[in-house]
Amino acid sequence: MESVEAKSFKFKGREYPCCASLTMGIIGGKWKTVILFHLIGGKLRYSELRKCMPTVTERTLSLQLQALEDDGLVLREVYHEKPPLKVEYSLTAFGKTLIPLIQAIADWGEVAAE
Amino acid sequence: MESVEAKSFKFKGREYPCCASLTMGIIGGKWKTVILFHLIGGKLRYSELRKCMPTVTERTLSLQLQALEDDGLVLREVYHEKPPLKVEYSLTAFGKTLIPLIQAIADWGEVAAE
DNA sequence: CTGTATCCCTGTTGATACTG
DNA sequence: CAGTATCAACAGGGATACAG
């Protein structure tokens, strides 16, 4: 059909009108890129993430981590062997495909900062 | 000082806790990357942008364009020579520094789309 | 043609307290 | 240690009508 480009992009059941908005729907929001950025270096415990991001609340961090996990970007591993509960977060293989993008976002932010 | 990394990133008077969140503060939101993506190809009139983005409302498109203009990413040129008012939007030099990033965002979205 | 003015709804984020 | 529950606040975004 020669209609005016009505094609849409789908991901996990959500629809987006543009490939750019699909990406933003996944990594957008105030904290997701920050979490992903810190996870580039490797696994981090919940408490380590909080130290990296002192201004986020526990609730928000928890919610964003869940969203990232649901989208398959982040892996959550629980070690409950002994009382000091330990949970580690890391990038999945799919999440790692975002590394160049996250790095570019961080780099641009450094340059643009006054 | 050896404090726990309290440095912040500033842009246009706004403060961000991380270089990644600075970038997202500028190009984040539901529509900004879509607008920038369409402007990569060159100047576009208001009505042309609307055709590219059929699902955005006039109000939102207008607000987002203003925000992009305020941040110095987009140039707004008005031609009011004859009644059919004409306004063209284009990327500024500063806005063009975002092209690789926007392109990467769009590319990732295409690959991730199901 | 290119917007702005209202009004309202919703999602996201935050503060605080509490639990396994 | 690693969260969840609850409540509250706010900004982004949408519908519609109107203006330069």
Side-chain angles (χ1 to χ4, degrees):
Chain A
M1 55 175 170
E2 63 269 11
S3 76
V4 203
E5 189 75 21
K7 101 173 151 181
S8 79
F9 297 79
K10 294 186 190 180
F11 182 81
K12 299 269 178 186
R14 292 155 358 221
E15 280 197 31
Y16 303 92
C18 170
C19 51
S21 59
L22 184 148
T23 304
M24 295 307 287
I26 295 170
I27 66 168
K30 197 169 172 181
W31 295 109
K32 284 183 191 164
T33 52
V34 182
I35 294 172
L36 294 170
F37 177 60
H38 289 304
L39 287 179
I40 288 178
K43 287 186 184 180
L44 284 179
R45 300 186 54 171
Y46 181 79
S47 53
E48 292 173 320
L49 276 172
R50 297 225 348 167
K51 275 172 209 154
C52 296
M53 305 157 62
T55 57
V56 72
T57 63
E58 291 181 342
R59 170 191 146 85
T60 299
L61 178 55
S62 183
L63 287 175
Q64 302 302 307
L65 281 167
Q66 274 182 39
L68 291 170
E69 193 189 355
D70 290 345
D71 282 343
L73 300 178
V74 161
L75 177 67
R76 180 176 183 269
E77 292 173 291
V78 186
Y79 306 86
H80 37 178
E81 315 166 357
K82 300 196 175 178
L85 186 54
K86 182 174 165 187
V87 182
E88 287 187 331
Y89 293 91
S90 56
L91 296 179
T92 63
F94 182 50
K96 285 177 183 166
T97 65
L98 274 170
I99 290 180
L101 190 49
I102 301 293
Q103 196 63 59
I105 287 172
D107 291 346
W108 193 89
E110 285 220 22
V111 174
E114 290 151 5
Chain B
M1 53 176 170
E2 61 271 11
S3 76
V4 204
E5 190 74 21
K7 102 172 152 183
S8 79
F9 297 79
K10 294 186 189 179
F11 182 82
K12 299 268 177 187
R14 301 172 326 242
E15 280 197 31
Y16 303 91
C18 169
C19 50
S21 60
L22 184 149
T23 305
M24 295 308 287
I26 295 169
I27 67 168
K30 197 168 172 180
W31 295 110
K32 284 182 190 164
T33 52
V34 182
I35 294 172
L36 294 170
F37 177 61
H38 289 304
L39 288 179
I40 288 179
K43 287 186 184 182
L44 284 180
R45 298 186 55 172
Y46 181 77
S47 53
E48 292 173 319
L49 276 172
R50 298 222 351 166
K51 275 172 209 154
C52 296
M53 306 156 62
T55 58
V56 72
T57 62
E58 292 180 342
R59 169 192 144 89
T60 299
L61 179 55
S62 184
L63 287 176
Q64 302 301 308
L65 281 168
Q66 274 181 39
L68 291 170
E69 192 190 356
D70 290 344
D71 282 342
L73 301 177
V74 161
L75 177 67
R76 180 176 183 270
E77 293 173 290
V78 185
Y79 305 86
H80 36 176
E81 316 167 353
K82 300 197 175 179
L85 187 53
K86 180 175 165 185
V87 181
E88 285 187 331
Y89 293 91
S90 57
L91 296 179
T92 62
F94 182 49
K96 285 177 183 168
T97 66
L98 275 169
I99 290 181
L101 191 49
I102 300 294
Q103 196 63 58
I105 288 172
D107 290 346
W108 192 90
E110 286 219 21
V111 173
E114 291 151 4

